[in-house]
């Protein structure tokens, strides 16, 4: 049997080029080799207040983008997290099995606390419980592999810890301990305006990121105005040339070549020529993606999601029943 992979993305804003290269592209590349489960993490999105109409629209947008990127429903089980109740059921088990110190050490939680204190905003408890829900998302399906970006590595380590803890409590291997999968390149795409920090859809400066559904001309302009340096040599050097290194990573990832090959290709190019070539590659990619996205109709999308929900729910329901039985929960 094929090994299984599981992963998901929050519908909390416009999906960026960084989300695609760092995460979603891996889903597409791995679906031929693995039994693939990919979901829309809508429950994670509500750790901060959401407009219900916008959240539902973004959920559908994300599904359509998954399909436009190349996820094949015949190879990948595609579903919405909230439509499989076992995610929340197992999340409670892991909430009770995790320690406050573990949750408070999570970088995402600490960053949120810091930002909210600066803005004098309340800190919702959902952000503290995010990791147990993520652990449930993964461990319900017993995957051997979990594709993650750099920012989720800490959460996956906690997932492994919780799985081992429950296995120890029950004296049985209830959960498979998953391994991390990271792409050889592109795991972390950086801001176009501040290339020492990650590209983010929540950035206050819209020039810093490329949303996958941005107008093509806008995206091209953002690439051409990306921050670089004054050396005028196209060379991969993250420490000294973060802007150029980031553009090389984007180019190589979209062209499916090694960064070293991309660097060699542009070794005699000016920065203007280099940026024009990167912008053209981004333009070609986004044009094809957006054409496929707009060609999808809601009947097709809903049929795919119905099939995915049924398959995911069958596996997840069986798993949570097994976990409850081993923990002594319910009547058996």
């Amino acid at each position: 049997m094929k090994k299984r992979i599981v992963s998901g993305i929050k519908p909390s804003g416009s999906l960026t080029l960084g989300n695609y290269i760092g995460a979603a592209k891996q889903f597409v590349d791995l679906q031929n080799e693995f039994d693939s489960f990919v979901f829309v993490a809508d429950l994670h999105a509500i750790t901060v207040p959401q407009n219900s109409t916008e959240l539902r629209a973004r959920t559908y947008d994300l599904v359509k983008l998954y399909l436009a990127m190349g996820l094949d429903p015949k190879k990948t089980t595609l579903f919405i997290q909230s439509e499989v109740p076992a995610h929340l059921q197992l999340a409670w088990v892991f909430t009770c099995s995790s320690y406050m110190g573990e949750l408070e050490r999570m970088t995402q939680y600490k960053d949120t606390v810091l930002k909210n204190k600066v803005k004098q905003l309340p800190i919702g408890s959902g952000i503290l419980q995010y990791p147990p829900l993520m652990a449930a998302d993964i461990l319900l399906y017993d995957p051997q592999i979990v594709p993650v970006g750099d920012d989720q590595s800490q959460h996956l380590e906690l997932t492994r810890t919780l799985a081992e803890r429950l296995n120890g409590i029950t004296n049985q291997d209830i959960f498979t301990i998953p391994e991390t999968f990271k792409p050889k390149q592109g795991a972390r795409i950086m801001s176009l305006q501040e290339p020492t920090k990650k590209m983010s859809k929540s950035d206050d400066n819209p020039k810093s990121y490329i949303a996958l559904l941005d107008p093509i001309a806008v995206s091209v302009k953002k690439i051409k105005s990306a921050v670089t340096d004054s050396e005028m040599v196209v060379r991969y050097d993250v420490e000294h040339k973060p802007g150029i290194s980031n553009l090389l990573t984007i180019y190589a990832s979209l062209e499916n070549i090694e960064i070293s090959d991309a660097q060699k290709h542009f070794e005699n190019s000016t920065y203007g020529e280099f940026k024009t070539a990167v912008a053209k590659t981004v333009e070609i990619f986004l044009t094809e993606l957006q054409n496929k996205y707009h060609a999808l109709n809601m009947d097709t999308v809903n049929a795919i999601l119905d099939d995915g929900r049924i398959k995911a729910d069958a596996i997840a329901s069986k798993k949570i029943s097994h976990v409850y039985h081993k923990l002594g929960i319910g009547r058996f």
Side-chain angles (χ1 to χ4, degrees):
M1 293 180 64
K2 288 183 177 181
K3 289 184 177 180
R4 181 174 290 168
I5 63 170
V6 173
S7 201
I9 296 177
K10 286 190 300 183
S12 55
S14 302
L15 213 63
T16 69
L17 189 63
N19 297 134
Y20 170 73
I21 294 174
K25 186 176 186 295
Q26 319 316 315
F27 307 164
V28 177
D29 293 344
L30 294 170
Q31 66 181 341
N32 293 319
E33 183 181 352
F34 295 91
D35 181 20
S36 178
F37 283 70
V38 176
F39 59 93
V40 177
D42 55 340
L43 293 173
H44 285 292
I46 63 170
T47 54
V48 295
Q50 299 285 341
N51 176 285
S52 59
T53 302
E54 292 176 0
L55 178 59
R56 190 167 291 110
R58 288 197 302 269
T59 296
Y60 273 107
D61 279 347
L62 181 49
V63 175
K64 290 171 68 177
L65 282 169
Y66 276 150
L67 295 169
M69 290 169 188
L71 282 182
D72 184 348
K74 295 179 181 178
K75 301 175 182 177
T76 295
T77 301
L78 183 57
F79 63 101
I80 296 173
Q81 177 193 34
S82 62
E83 294 185 352
V84 181
H87 284 253
L88 287 175
Q89 292 173 290
L90 186 56
W92 177 247
V93 172
F94 287 135
T95 295
C96 295
S97 305
S98 54
Y99 307 141
M100 287 295 295
E102 291 173 325
L103 301 180
E104 290 171 343
R105 281 195 297 271
M106 294 294 105
T107 300
Q108 185 180 38
Y109 172 71
K110 291 192 291 185
D111 287 348
T112 300
V113 169
L114 184 61
K115 289 177 183 177
N116 285 23
K117 282 185 177 179
V118 170
K119 296 179 180 180
Q120 296 185 324
L121 295 173
I123 300 163
S125 61
I127 195 68
L128 187 67
Q129 303 304 330
Y130 187 108
L133 177 56
M134 181 174 169
D137 297 333
I138 294 167
L139 296 172
L140 274 173
Y141 302 95
D142 287 317
Q144 289 82 13
I145 305 292
V146 180
V148 294
D150 283 349
D151 59 336
Q152 293 295 334
S153 296
Q154 189 185 31
H155 288 163
L156 186 59
E157 283 306 308
L158 180 59
T159 295
R160 289 166 53 85
T161 296
L162 293 174
E164 291 168 350
R165 186 171 296 158
L166 263 293
N167 285 351
I169 289 172
T170 59
N171 251 346
Q172 295 189 42
D173 293 332
I174 298 179
F175 301 109
T176 299
I177 310 300
E179 298 294 329
T180 302
F181 174 88
K182 290 184 180 180
K184 290 188 293 183
Q185 59 188 34
R188 192 175 180 86
I189 299 300
M190 313 306 284
S191 162
L192 297 175
Q193 293 298 309
E194 297 181 65
T196 56
K197 72 176 189 179
K198 184 182 176 183
M199 181 182 286
S200 172
K201 55 199 169 190
S202 61
D203 199 304
D204 292 334
N205 185 354
K207 292 183 178 180
S208 69
Y209 63 89
I210 290 177
L212 295 180
L213 296 177
D214 269 351
I216 306 297
V218 172
S219 299
V220 167
K221 189 174 181 180
K222 288 180 181 180
I223 292 290
K224 290 185 176 181
S225 64
V227 170
T228 52
D229 55 64
S230 58
E231 188 184 17
M232 298 306 292
V233 176
V234 179
R235 174 168 53 87
Y236 187 81
D237 183 342
V238 174
E239 182 178 355
H240 299 103
K241 299 173 71 66
I244 290 295
S245 300
N246 192 42
L247 292 177
L248 277 169
T249 301
I250 291 171
Y251 180 85
S253 298
L254 295 182
E255 292 287 349
N256 292 308
I257 62 175
E258 299 291 329
I259 291 176
S260 57
D261 293 330
Q263 176 178 293
K264 185 175 181 180
H265 180 71
F266 292 110
E267 60 185 356
N268 296 316
S269 300
T270 66
Y271 278 7
E273 292 168 339
F274 171 54
K275 284 185 173 183
T276 297
V278 177
K280 185 62 177 178
T281 292
V282 170
E283 178 183 359
I284 292 170
F285 165 73
L286 290 179
T287 299
E288 181 179 357
L289 176 77
Q290 291 183 16
N291 287 341
K292 291 179 179 178
Y293 168 89
H294 290 298
L296 288 163
N297 64 66
M298 294 309 298
D299 289 341
T300 299
V301 172
N302 280 322
I304 291 169
L305 288 175
D306 286 343
D307 289 343
R309 182 195 71 242
I310 291 168
K311 183 176 179 181
D313 188 60
I315 294 170
S317 295
K318 183 177 180 180
K319 187 68 175 183
I320 193 62
S321 293
H322 180 62
V323 172
Y324 276 7
H325 175 71
K326 293 303 178 183
L327 294 176
I329 298 172
R331 293 183 295 170
F332 296 98

